[in-house]
Amino acid sequence: MNEKLLISKDLIMLSGIAGLIGAIVKIIFSGIPYLLHFTQDFGVLIAGRIVFHVKDFPLDWPHITLSIFAHLIFGSIIGVGLGFLYLLSGKDFYLLKGAIYGLLVWFIVRNYLVTLSVPGEKEQLDAITAAVSFGSHILYGLITGYIIAKYNRFAPST
C-alpha cells in the first residue's frame, strides 16, 4: 500500500514537470508568431489578463514574468490531469491520448473558461491566431504525454 502511494506521488511530480515542459514549448510555439505579428494574442497575455484582472496590462518585464509564471503553473496542474488519465486508462496510444487531452484543454479551458475569466468583452480571434492556439494545445498534449509515458513506470496493460 505504501509503495503505491509513493508511485502516485512520483506520477504527480512527473506529470507536473511534464506539464511544465509542455507549457514552455507551448509558449515558444505560440509566442514566436505573436512576436512576428502573425497572431493577435497568445497564452501568456491571456494569463496576464486573468492574473491582473484587466483587459490590457503593461507589457513590462515584471508583468510578463508573472504572467509566464502563472501560465507555467497552470500547465503543470493540467499535466497532472493527463498523468491521472494514463494511470486510469494505461499508456497505450499515449500520443493520441495526449493530443486529444490537449484538444480538450483547448476547447474547455481556452475557449470556455478563459472567456468567462478575462475581463472585458469577448475578443474575436482571427483564423491564424485560432489555428496557432489550437496547434499549441495539441503540441502541449503530445509533449506532456510523451514525457509521462516515457518516464513513469505504469503497471502492464491487461
Side-chain angles (χ1 to χ4, degrees):
M1 182 70 175
N2 193 16
E3 185 176 332
K4 186 166 179 84
L5 182 62
L6 290 175
I7 293 171
S8 295
K9 287 179 183 178
D10 289 345
L11 177 62
I12 291 169
M13 191 61 130
L14 173 64
S15 300
I17 292 170
L20 176 77
I21 294 168
I24 289 169
V25 172
K26 182 182 169 305
I27 288 171
I28 294 167
F29 181 85
S30 61
I32 291 171
Y34 177 77
L35 292 174
L36 295 174
H37 303 288
F38 293 138
T39 59
Q40 64 190 37
D41 210 351
F42 84 112
V44 170
L45 298 179
I46 296 167
R49 290 184 200 116
I50 293 170
V51 167
F52 296 108
H53 200 66
V54 294
K55 176 82 173 131
D56 297 307
F57 68 97
L59 296 177
D60 56 17
W61 284 111
H63 286 89
I64 293 292
T65 302
L66 187 58
S67 299
I68 290 171
F69 183 71
H71 197 266
L72 294 175
I73 293 292
F74 193 69
S76 292
I77 292 168
I78 298 237
V80 173
L82 183 56
F84 282 127
L85 174 70
Y86 287 164
L87 183 64
L88 295 173
S89 67
K91 69 175 187 177
D92 299 335
F93 304 105
Y94 64 91
L95 289 177
L96 180 62
K97 290 176 186 176
I100 291 171
Y101 187 80
L103 179 64
L104 288 173
V105 168
W106 184 73
F107 275 119
I108 295 168
V109 176
R110 171 63 180 97
N111 294 325
Y112 181 68
L113 295 178
V114 164
T115 58
L116 296 175
S117 303
V118 173
E121 63 188 57
K122 183 179 176 185
E123 183 178 7
Q124 297 295 323
L125 296 179
D126 64 346
I128 295 173
T129 303
V132 168
S133 177
F134 178 82
S136 71
H137 282 83
I138 290 176
L139 182 63
Y140 166 84
L142 288 170
I143 289 173
T144 303
Y146 174 79
I147 293 169
I148 295 168
K150 179 159 176 62
Y151 294 105
N152 193 50
R153 294 184 181 141
F154 290 100
S157 299
T158 57

